[in-house]
Amino acid sequence: MGKRAGRNRQQCWGFTLLELLVVIGIMALLLAVGIPAFESFSKRSLNSASPGLMSTLRLARQHAITHRRYVWVVFPDAGPSQGGVLSYQGSEVEHALRSYAVIEGDENNLPNEYITDWKYLPQGIYFDAQLPASSSIFNSYNAATVNYPFPDSQSPKNHNIPAIEFRPNGRAYTIDSFGSTWNPGNTAHIYLIAGIVNINTSVGALASAPIKVSTNNALVRVFGATGQMDYYERQ
């Protein structure tokens, strides 16, 4: 009698083929409903991220003109393990591909002073540093001989870091392909895309390569000759 009851209990713990098919069907339905909703959310996030970035770029340019200073908008990259150049210390890696800030200096990169706090992209949006465009501020950068003014949390020293430089004449400069000088003739491209960036603050690095969750992206362009900028979405 006891053995029969035990066998009956074990049989009740299993799932029938029909039950499994029902669960799979429900999961497929939820996925079909969730993907369009997520893509719509990603598009809204891109729309909300770009105006803040554009506003900061305009602020930096205006500050350079008004105060007759050199001003940089800096964009921390993914770090050496992901093809970048900026090495991080602990929690500084939180800035990677997700934030930007404005720093003031002079033609000798001194003094180094933040004129904005670090600004972060909305959750689920990051700067795409993997696009092959040579005009991307991430891909066109070469750290051979040029230092950017980037005071870190440990000491007032310089780091190599992708950036756009605004000068008192209002023009925008980026590093040339040899990494040796600031060039005013290029148009800087800043790509934004929906995805996930996994941060490992204990070792100061990305835990893995960024994961894209949508093919839609946005592009902010800064024109070197004029310092003006625009924005548009890409499908």
Side-chain angles (χ1 to χ4, degrees):
M1 186 70 179
K3 292 183 178 180
R4 185 180 298 111
R7 286 197 297 271
N8 288 338
R9 283 196 298 270
Q10 290 177 354
Q11 291 172 354
C12 291
W13 292 342
F15 293 96
T16 67
L17 178 60
L18 178 60
E19 290 172 330
L20 288 174
L21 291 175
V22 169
V23 171
I24 292 172
I26 293 174
M27 292 175 63
L29 179 62
L30 292 174
L31 185 62
V33 173
I35 288 178
F38 184 81
E39 289 182 345
S40 177
F41 173 78
S42 298
K43 187 173 182 179
R44 291 197 303 271
S45 296
L46 283 173
N47 289 337
S48 66
S50 300
L53 175 58
M54 294 276 287
S55 177
T56 297
L57 289 166
R58 292 191 180 102
L59 167 69
R61 180 174 182 270
Q62 188 59 47
H63 187 92
I65 296 171
T66 302
H67 298 277
R68 312 299 299 172
R69 303 289 285 175
Y70 279 51
V71 176
W72 296 264
V73 182
V74 296
F75 299 87
D77 61 26
S81 64
Q82 301 293 332
V85 296
L86 180 62
S87 296
Y88 298 95
Q89 298 180 359
S91 62
E92 287 182 347
V93 73
E94 283 283 355
H95 299 325
L97 300 180
R98 300 175 54 237
S99 67
Y100 51 97
V102 182
I103 298 174
E104 177 195 90
D106 58 23
E107 63 272 19
N108 298 316
N109 292 354
L110 296 171
N112 299 332
E113 179 182 1
Y114 288 98
I115 60 176
T116 69
D117 294 329
W118 282 101
K119 300 178 182 296
Y120 284 84
L121 296 175
Q123 192 70 29
I125 304 295
Y126 70 91
F127 292 112
D128 191 351
Q130 301 302 316
L131 289 177
S134 60
S135 54
S136 167
I137 59 168
F138 296 99
N139 292 332
S140 63
Y141 176 74
N142 185 319
T145 60
V146 177
N147 285 329
Y148 292 104
F150 181 58
D152 66 18
S153 61
Q154 305 298 320
S155 61
K157 63 183 179 181
N158 289 347
H159 287 292
N160 292 311
I161 180 174
I164 297 174
E165 177 186 85
F166 292 99
R167 296 188 182 180
N169 61 9
R171 301 178 74 180
Y173 291 67
T174 52
I175 290 295
D176 65 17
S177 58
F178 299 101
S180 58
T181 187
W182 292 94
N183 189 334
N186 296 332
T187 297
H189 288 63
I190 309 168
Y191 295 93
L192 301 91
I193 194 165
I196 301 169
V197 178
N198 294 318
I199 302 296
N200 188 341
T201 57
S202 62
V203 297
L206 297 190
S208 61
I211 302 171
K212 298 178 183 181
V213 297
S214 173
T215 57
N216 295 336
N217 60 40
L219 171 62
V220 173
R221 298 184 298 180
V222 182
F223 302 99
T226 63
Q228 299 299 316
M229 57 212 69
D230 68 5
Y231 154 79
Y232 65 91
E233 295 178 18
R234 295 155 47 91
Q235 300 298 322

